Amino acid sequence: MLYNQFGDKINVVSSSSGVQLADRDKKKMVIELAQITQRLTQKDIRNWRRAWQTAIDIENPRRSELLNVYTDVDIDDQITGAIQQINNDVLGRSFKIMDAKSKKEKPELTELLEDRWFKNIIRLILNTRYWGHSLIQFGDVVTVGNKKKLTGVELVPRAHVIPEYGVILREPGDEFKNGISYREGKVADWVLEIGDKKDLGLFLKLAPHAISKKNMLAFWDQFGEIFGMPIRIGKTSSSNPRDNARMEKMLSDMGAASYALFPIGTEIEIKESSRGDAYNVYDKRVERSNSSIAKAILTVTMTMDNGASLSQSQVHEKMLANTVNAEADNVKDVVNNDLLPKLRALGFPFGDNDLFEWDYAIDYTPDQQTANERMILENYEVDPKYFEEKYGLKILGKKERPAMQFSAEKKKLT
């Protein structure tokens, strides 16, 4: 639910459209299938370019057509997997609210953000990288016990948002001059704007690869329908339509493979291209699309596909970690610079010096934690309270080494 400049609630709706493709006669099958796929690809790429041009129109920018293209891009399995690799890593991290001056954690404020609505905000911040500019609508502020929280958050449908002018449209086709400003008045208090106003997202670059992959897989399916199953041919000398209909029904009931009914003496021949097998033609193109997609999102490929060596995989893992850290750093910036001031204005008890930080110490593996503690103990004096609080043990004092152990260590040194 959104509000206009007078505080009244308004509703926005989104629209969708579909494309249907006509069947083709099976004559000259391979040639016509190639033509169909070529036309489909050209049409999709043409739609993408036209939608891109409409989105960057200076006088009247509209993103509806481009967002329809993005919807198809978003369902690609390679893209989904790559995005999940990054999002899951960031969403699984621990965080804390720190006092910028004292450098001490404020667990009571950290607890305020340990809620579903905050996870959803992080998810929407991460998705802005792919979809482009996002506008988040806050739900109501409620108090549960002594803890303030939002009833929820939701994305304002992007087709209704014109970020270049900072307005929300009742209908995607409305003039931007009739839109409702979300950067001033009451509306501004209840929305969070993420991303640059001209940001069209990474899906813009991924669209050609996803389109090509989708069409190539469709072409491969059609190829399989024609050449992957044997053709049943029935021959008859009867000119009786009833006999022919009965024979055609028998052929049809034999299974899903193609069939044909011809007069005796008819010949039919289907030839595959001699320039290469279907596997190399289609699968290699899909593989190339997947590789390009992984590079664009993750900057690497081996975290999703098999690699050639351990050293290569380690380099790719490090590059992926850099990408994930960059996304996590972006989330931190948005929370500190934009979200916390908004929540403070809505009555949440965040002060000017409170900062959101990722708590990397909590995310250490047990082996990493043990190695860190050993390194610290071997080089520095540590307050025993740290171990008492962490492990729940009462430390009475430093343990004296047995005399035999001391003599053995001294002998080794000499």
Side-chain angles (χ1 to χ4, degrees):
M1 190 65 68
L2 298 170
Y3 300 86
N4 62 18
Q5 63 265 46
F6 304 109
D8 301 323
K9 291 184 178 181
I10 62 171
N11 290 314
V12 293
V13 296
S14 57
S15 60
S16 60
S17 61
V19 178
Q20 293 183 342
L21 301 175
D23 294 332
R24 293 287 185 266
D25 186 5
K26 289 190 176 181
K27 265 187 169 183
K28 301 178 182 178
M29 193 71 71
V30 175
I31 296 176
E32 289 200 1
L33 283 174
Q35 292 174 343
I36 293 170
T37 303
Q38 184 180 20
R39 284 195 294 270
L40 180 61
T41 303
Q42 290 174 346
K43 179 181 178 182
D44 284 345
I45 294 296
R46 186 167 59 249
N47 290 344
W48 166 68
R49 287 189 177 277
R50 184 177 63 245
W52 182 7
Q53 187 64 44
T54 304
I56 62 176
D57 186 277
I58 297 177
E59 296 182 356
N60 189 29
R62 287 290 186 275
R63 302 192 182 195
S64 299
E65 292 184 26
L66 191 60
L67 292 171
N68 287 336
V69 175
Y70 285 5
T71 300
D72 287 340
V73 173
D74 190 39
I75 64 174
D76 182 274
D77 55 351
Q78 183 81 354
I79 291 175
T80 300
I83 291 175
Q84 286 300 104
Q85 268 197 306
I86 295 176
N87 288 8
N88 290 344
D89 194 315
V90 177
L91 287 166
R93 295 187 176 194
S94 302
F95 61 85
K96 57 187 176 181
I97 298 296
M98 302 285 293
D99 186 292
K101 292 183 176 180
S102 66
K103 304 299 181 182
K104 292 184 178 180
E105 182 183 355
K106 293 185 173 181
E108 70 281 0
L109 296 182
T110 302
E111 186 180 356
L112 291 178
L113 300 183
E114 292 175 344
D115 209 325
R116 183 179 301 174
W117 63 267
F118 183 66
K119 285 283 188 181
N120 288 337
I121 286 180
I122 294 179
R123 187 175 291 106
L124 290 171
I125 295 173
L126 293 170
N127 288 341
T128 299
R129 180 192 183 204
Y130 313 102
W131 287 88
H133 177 277
S134 302
L135 188 66
I136 300 175
Q137 164 80 35
F138 297 145
D140 295 329
V141 179
V142 296
T143 302
V144 180
N146 59 350
K147 176 182 175 182
K148 281 187 177 294
K149 62 180 295 184
L150 293 175
T151 55
V153 296
E154 60 181 319
L155 179 72
V156 179
R158 291 185 175 91
H160 294 261
V161 180
I162 309 296
E164 290 85 352
Y165 295 102
V167 297
I168 302 171
L169 305 179
R170 292 181 180 273
E171 296 293 338
D174 290 349
E175 289 289 332
F176 75 87
K177 297 178 181 178
N178 299 326
I180 300 169
S181 175
Y182 62 79
R183 291 178 182 152
E184 55 187 30
K186 291 184 178 180
V187 178
D189 297 334
W190 294 91
V191 294
L192 175 66
E193 188 174 15
I194 306 172
D196 185 79
K197 62 183 180 181
K198 294 185 178 181
D199 182 17
L200 297 178
L202 189 56
F203 279 170
L204 181 68
K205 296 181 179 180
L206 295 177
H209 301 295
I211 289 171
S212 176
K213 176 183 172 182
K214 177 190 69 173
N215 293 329
M216 191 57 65
L217 288 172
F219 194 8
W220 199 356
D221 284 344
Q222 291 174 323
F223 184 94
E225 290 179 7
I226 300 168
F227 299 108
M229 298 286 284
I231 296 178
R232 302 188 301 278
I233 299 177
K235 297 182 179 181
T236 178
S237 59
S238 174
S239 59
N240 188 329
R242 184 175 298 176
D243 292 339
N244 291 341
R246 185 162 50 247
M247 186 172 183
E248 184 176 2
K249 185 177 186 304
M250 292 174 60
L251 289 169
S252 176
D253 292 342
M254 289 174 65
S258 301
Y259 69 90
L261 179 63
F262 301 106
I264 291 178
T266 301
E267 293 185 2
I268 182 170
E269 185 178 9
I270 298 179
K271 290 184 177 181
E272 292 190 50
S273 171
S274 61
R275 299 181 64 86
D277 63 275
Y279 176 83
N280 283 324
V281 172
Y282 304 124
D283 192 61
K284 288 297 183 182
R285 183 63 187 94
V286 172
E287 182 181 327
R288 184 57 59 97
S289 293
N290 283 340
S291 175
S292 298
I293 288 169
K295 289 176 182 177
I297 298 177
L298 305 172
T299 69
V300 294
T301 59
M302 287 177 61
T303 59
M304 296 193 71
D305 302 306
N306 292 331
S309 67
L310 176 61
S311 60
Q312 274 187 308
S313 65
Q314 290 173 336
V315 171
H316 282 223
E317 287 287 352
K318 183 177 180 180
M319 293 172 66
L320 174 60
N322 291 337
T323 301
V324 173
N325 289 335
E327 289 304 300
D329 193 56
N330 178 59
V331 170
K332 184 181 72 171
D333 290 342
V334 172
V335 173
N336 283 325
N337 298 327
D338 303 309
L339 178 60
L340 291 186
K342 292 277 186 181
L343 296 179
R344 189 183 307 126
L346 293 176
F348 283 78
F350 293 104
D352 294 337
N353 295 321
D354 293 333
L355 290 177
F356 172 90
E357 295 283 353
W358 295 111
D359 194 352
Y360 294 104
I362 296 179
D363 295 326
Y364 286 138
T365 65
D367 289 342
Q368 291 173 328
Q369 186 72 28
T370 300
N372 290 338
E373 291 178 355
R374 180 181 293 113
M375 181 272 295
I376 294 172
L377 287 171
E378 289 176 352
N379 295 278
Y380 304 96
E381 293 292 335
V382 179
D383 189 342
K385 288 183 178 180
Y386 166 79
F387 293 97
E388 290 181 344
E389 293 175 357
K390 181 173 182 179
Y391 298 105
L393 301 173
K394 182 64 176 177
I395 298 178
L396 302 177
K398 188 175 180 181
K399 186 175 182 179
E400 295 292 337
R401 289 180 294 174
M404 293 179 61
Q405 179 181 350
F406 179 78
S407 299
E409 292 179 356
K410 185 176 181 180
K411 186 176 182 181
K412 289 180 181 180
L413 293 175
T414 58

